[in-house]
Amino acid sequence: MDKFLKADFVSRPEQDPVYKALIFIVLLTPVCLHGCIERYYPDKDQVRSGVLVIVGHLESKAGKQRIQISQSASIGNSTYQPLSGYYVEVERLDGEFRVFDEDEAGSYQAYLDEEFLLTGHDYRLKVLSPEGRSYESSFERMFPAPVIDTVWFELEELMDRDTELKDQGIRFFIDFEIDQDSGRYLRWELEETFEIHNPDYETRMFGTDRRFHEVTGSMKTLDCWITRDIPGIYTQDLGNMMGEHYHRFRLNYVSGSTWRLLHRYSLLVRQYSLGDKAFWYWDELSKNLSTQGNLFDRQPALTPSNICNPDDPEERVIGYFSVSGVCEKRIFVEQVPGLEVFQDPFYCAPLSPPPMFLHYYPIEELPIYIARGYVLGHYEEGRVDEKCLDCSLYKGSTDEKPSYW
């Protein structure tokens, strides 16, 4: 099976590597950026206590937007602990504001329209805890985002340092305009979508009634589209760039040894404009994220927050509030010339021996699916996972074709 499909898809903040890096920053977080900034190292008692985490990154595109509020655990423990019951609002410098309502534990959302989201204006976050403690960010300016000219790719071959085996895939790049009115700092987020098609084997289900039932075609979902965010933080300071265009900014690599390129693949690139302090935050967060393999490979960088308690400036808060103009561009990839894409002949194949004594199986382990068919010319019968019959069970998956497909 494709290594990617074996992995859990990121769906909760505690599974996001960016969130984990954020929690590690509890080692380093000082007071707000507009206050005195100095390097901080907590003592043991402070390490044990939870620290407030507030994360909100709003964009100029109208739609639902979120603020997340949680409490960190201890150093080395990035368990997500959502906090409920907070009052959350985003205020524009001219006094206009929008209230964010809690739709699930620790997650506050609001629909922001184009009348509220105006480039060239300043915004700040204001939060009130159930106990009456107030928190606010500094005002952040929303800069317009420069235009993405093209998203493109080329073949690339990587060498695995451990196995010394070569892997061939494609590397994505973008070309974009350099617009002095958009500011000098940029950040990118990437989202991929790809098709999967499960094999259609003859299948029986041993159900909770302890009887076998044929699984017919109408009971199967074999064609799906999976969408997920691509981990990683991409930033660029354009301060020293000359000219009106930036060519060949390097993005993510997609291996041909996964199933993501077997059928049609799409990459959505979101380009954000940033202020100088927000850029510093994301750039330092990226450095912390890149060293998660061993947190003590080097002394971690200072990653400050722009959120604090105005009544208690010594209280440390993790996270950041930012607003950004955004520009999007999508590319589709299919049947890349010169790229050999690996197709696993054993994906969802009925190779696991059928369980014995099914009538004595615990009810909580039912139903069980037994499929049969030809695999590489040999007739096989065995147990298969339910996801092989319903690909929409994968996280981030749907059996409805995306509107842009």
Side-chain angles (χ1 to χ4, degrees), residues 272-290:
Y272 297 96
S273 58
L274 301 175
D276 55 348
K277 296 173 183 177
F279 174 80
W280 183 24
Y281 167 82
W282 283 106
D283 194 51
E284 294 298 337
L285 184 59
S286 175
K287 294 173 184 176
N288 282 323
L289 186 62
S290 66

Side-chain angles (χ1 to χ4, degrees), residues 42 44 144 153 166 227 264 294 303 313 316 352-353:
K44 293 181 180 179
F153 65 89
K166 293 181 179 180
T227 299
R264 201 178 193 203
N294 185 342
T303 310
R316 285 169 297 280
S352 300

Side-chain angles (χ1 to χ4, degrees), residues 8 48 51 86 106 108-109 118 140 147 154 165 168 215 220 241 246 257 272 281 298 300 307 309 359 383-384 404:
D8 273 341
R48 294 191 187 100
V51 176
Y86 282 67
Y108 301 78
Q109 76 163 14
L118 301 175
E140 298 291 321
V147 174
E154 65 182 20
L165 296 177
Q168 190 181 46
V215 179
K220 299 177 182 179
M241 301 295 173
Y246 190 110
S257 63
Y272 297 96
Y281 167 82
R298 69 178 181 91
I307 305 170
N309 181 343
H359 288 278
R383 183 175 180 176
V384 294
Y404 51 81

Side-chain angles (χ1 to χ4, degrees), residues 300-318:
L302 177 66
T303 310
S305 172
N306 68 340
I307 305 170
C308 67
N309 181 343
D311 301 320
D312 183 7
E314 297 302 315
E315 179 181 358
R316 285 169 297 280
V317 180
I318 300 175

